[in-house]
Amino acid sequence: MVWLVAMTPRQSSLCGLAAHGLWFLGLVLLMDATARPANHSSTRERAANREENEIMPPDHLNGVKLEMDGHLNKGFHQEVFLGKDMDGFDEDSEPRRSRRKLMVIFSKVDVNTDRRISAKEMQHWIMEKTAEHFQEAVKENKLHFRAVDPDGDGHVSWDEYKVKFLASKGHNEREIAEAIKNHEELKVDEETQEVLGNLRDRWYQADNPPADLLLTEDEFLSFLHPEHSRGMLKFMVKEIFRDLDQDGDKQLSLPEFISLPVGTVENQQGQDIDDNWVKDRKKEFEELIDSNHDGIVTMEELENYMDPMNEYNALNEAKQMIAIADENQNHHLEPEEILKYSEFFTGSKLMDYARNVHEEF
C-alpha cells in the first residue's frame, strides 16, 4: 500500500530548495573531481624527485671535510661529533633535554671518567662517529641499488642506469630504453648532456678492474659515495684540482685555494661572506691540508686530508675541536666548556651552561 501525503505550498518550496542544493553540491563535487589531476601531477613530481635522489650521487657527504665542489663542509664538526644523532639538537628541541643529551655524549667520550676529554679520547670518538656515517651509507645503498637493479641480477650496466636517470628527469622510460637499444640519438637538453657526461666518467671510475661497465652493489656504493673507495677518493680529488688549479701545475697554492667563487660582491653582507670564505679556507690550508707546511698542497696531501678514516687526520681534528672551546688552556675539554660552545659541537646554542652543568652531569 502506498500512502499519498499532500504537501503544503511551503513544504513544496522547501523540497525544491533542497533539490536545488543537492544539485549545486553535486556540481561542486564534480568540479573538485575534475581538478584533482593537478594533485596527481604534483605527486608524480615528488615521486620523480625521490627517484632522482635515490640514484644520483649526493652533493653532500657526511663526515668528509670538503664538498664535491671543493667548498668546506660547514657541518663537519657536528657530523663527526654527533654521528647518527645529528637531528637530535635542532632549534626546536627543549633546552634542558638537549643539555642532558650533550652531557650523555660527554660521558661516552670521556672513557676514563676523569670529567674531561683528551685529544686521544676525542680522536677515538670521531672515528666511531665517522664509521656510523659509513654504515648508514651502506644501508641506504642497498635500497638505491635495488632501484636501479629491478631484475635483481646483482649488477647494473651504464645503459640501464642512464634509462633510470633520464626517467627520473621526466623522460618516458620505455621510449628512452628503446632509443638506447637502437643506438638512436637521445633528445635531451645541453645541461642534462653535461650531467650525463660527468656521471659516465664517475661510473667508469667506480668500475673496478677488470672493467666490464657493470657495477656490483659495492661498486655502486663507490659511485654514490667516493669516500668508501680509495680509487674514487682519488677521482674526487682530481675533480677538485681541476676546478681550483688555475695554472695547471697539479699543485694548489694558497691563493688558488682561497680564491673566491665566481660572482661579484654587491653589498656589505656579500663582502662579509667573502671575507669569512677567505679566512676559513686560509686557516684550513695552513693548519690541516698543507701537512709539511711548504705552502703548496699536492694531490696526495688533499687526498689524505679528505680521507674520513685517516686516524692522523682524526687526531688533528680532535685537537682543533678541543682548542676551539679550551678556555682554561689545559688541552682538555670540560663539561662547562662543551656546554658553552654547544653551537660549535651540535649546531644549537644551549644557554645557562654554567648554572646547569653540574645538575645535568
Side-chain angles (χ1 to χ4, degrees):
M1 174 182 278
V2 179
W3 293 90
L4 298 176
V5 180
M7 292 197 301
T8 66
R10 177 176 174 82
Q11 288 173 321
S12 176
S13 172
L14 287 173
C15 284
L17 285 172
H20 181 75
L22 287 171
W23 173 85
F24 182 72
L25 178 61
L27 180 62
V28 169
L29 291 172
L30 180 64
M31 289 172 66
D32 181 56
T34 58
R36 282 178 192 166
N39 291 335
H40 294 325
S41 144
S42 72
T43 303
R44 280 197 299 272
E45 284 176 14
R46 285 196 298 271
N49 288 338
R50 185 174 65 250
E51 188 177 347
E52 182 180 351
N53 289 338
E54 285 179 352
I55 65 174
M56 275 286 286
D59 293 327
H60 175 76
L61 303 171
N62 285 333
V64 179
K65 292 285 296 188
L66 290 184
E67 305 286 8
M68 300 292 288
D69 58 5
H71 286 57
L72 295 180
N73 176 3
K74 292 295 185 182
F76 175 77
H77 296 113
Q78 289 142 35
E79 290 166 5
V80 297
F81 184 72
L82 298 177
K84 291 190 301 185
D85 294 328
M86 286 179 59
D87 295 334
F89 288 88
D90 55 45
E91 292 299 327
D92 298 329
S93 297
E94 201 274 314
R96 183 186 178 90
R97 188 173 58 192
S98 294
R99 283 194 298 270
R100 285 184 174 173
K101 206 167 185 178
L102 186 54
M103 287 298 97
V104 167
I105 293 175
F106 184 98
S107 300
K108 289 178 180 177
V109 185
D110 179 24
V111 178
N112 64 4
T113 64
D114 63 352
R115 288 176 58 90
R116 57 184 198 165
I117 295 172
S118 67
K120 271 290 180 187
E121 286 173 323
M122 184 67 88
Q123 177 199 25
H124 292 314
W125 182 256
I126 288 172
M127 296 297 291
E128 188 179 319
K129 296 294 112 177
T130 302
E132 280 186 7
H133 289 303
F134 268 52
Q135 291 157 11
E136 195 68 21
V138 170
K139 183 178 169 185
E140 289 176 357
N141 183 66
K142 286 187 179 298
L143 300 175
H144 300 339
F145 187 74
R146 209 172 297 157
V148 293
D149 180 32
D151 59 4
D153 64 356
H155 60 259
V156 181
S157 71
W158 165 246
D159 283 345
E160 287 175 324
Y161 176 81
K162 187 160 56 173
V163 168
K164 289 291 183 183
F165 169 75
L166 291 174
S168 76
K169 289 288 188 182
H171 295 271
N172 183 287
E173 186 168 338
R174 187 177 297 175
E175 290 176 6
I176 289 291
E178 195 66 26
I180 290 175
K181 182 181 177 182
N182 297 328
H183 305 289
E184 297 172 5
E185 186 178 349
L186 299 177
K187 296 176 182 177
V188 296
D189 58 61
E190 191 175 331
E191 183 183 347
T192 303
Q193 283 282 20
E194 185 179 348
V195 172
L196 272 173
N198 292 335
L199 288 173
R200 186 184 61 242
D201 292 343
R202 188 169 174 149
W203 187 274
Y204 289 179
Q205 189 68 38
D207 184 17
N208 292 328
D212 55 6
L213 300 186
L214 300 173
L215 296 194
T216 62
E217 186 175 317
D218 286 343
E219 289 170 333
F220 192 69
L221 174 64
S222 298
F223 171 73
L224 293 183
H225 287 272
E227 76 276 19
H228 284 250
S229 155
R230 198 71 192 184
M232 285 301 288
L233 198 61
K234 286 179 185 291
F235 176 75
M236 187 175 169
V237 167
K238 285 179 183 177
E239 292 288 289
I240 291 173
F241 258 76
R242 188 188 65 184
D243 293 338
L244 300 181
D245 183 17
Q246 296 169 8
D247 58 12
D249 64 352
K250 297 186 179 177
Q251 296 179 325
L252 292 182
S253 64
L254 178 59
E256 285 174 327
F257 189 75
I258 66 174
S259 59
L260 298 172
V262 177
T264 55
V265 178
E266 297 178 354
N267 51 38
Q268 186 57 47
Q269 185 180 8
Q271 181 65 58
D272 292 342
I273 291 171
D274 286 346
D275 288 347
N276 288 334
W277 165 279
V278 171
K279 184 179 69 175
D280 291 346
R281 290 178 77 85
K282 183 175 186 293
K283 182 179 180 183
E284 203 75 10
F285 183 99
E286 293 176 342
E287 295 182 10
L288 293 173
I289 309 178
D290 181 17
S291 55
N292 62 1
H293 305 293
D294 64 351
I296 294 293
V297 165
T298 63
M299 284 192 182
E300 185 180 358
E301 283 178 316
L302 189 61
E303 186 183 329
N304 288 332
Y305 163 80
M306 289 183 63
D307 182 4
M309 299 309 289
N310 185 315
E311 292 190 13
Y312 177 73
N313 278 353
L315 181 59
N316 281 339
E317 287 300 332
K319 290 176 180 176
Q320 188 186 55
M321 289 169 72
I322 289 173
I324 292 290
D326 185 20
E327 290 197 337
N328 61 10
Q329 298 295 300
N330 67 350
H331 306 293
H332 286 74
L333 197 60
E334 295 171 4
E336 294 87 350
E337 292 169 334
I338 199 171
L339 282 170
K340 183 173 182 179
Y341 289 86
S342 60
E343 192 168 11
F344 173 76
F345 292 100
T346 69
S348 295
K349 197 173 282 186
L350 308 178
M351 307 306 289
D352 300 327
Y353 54 90
R355 189 180 64 184
N356 290 288
V357 63
H358 298 295
E359 176 190 347
E360 305 299 354
F361 201 86

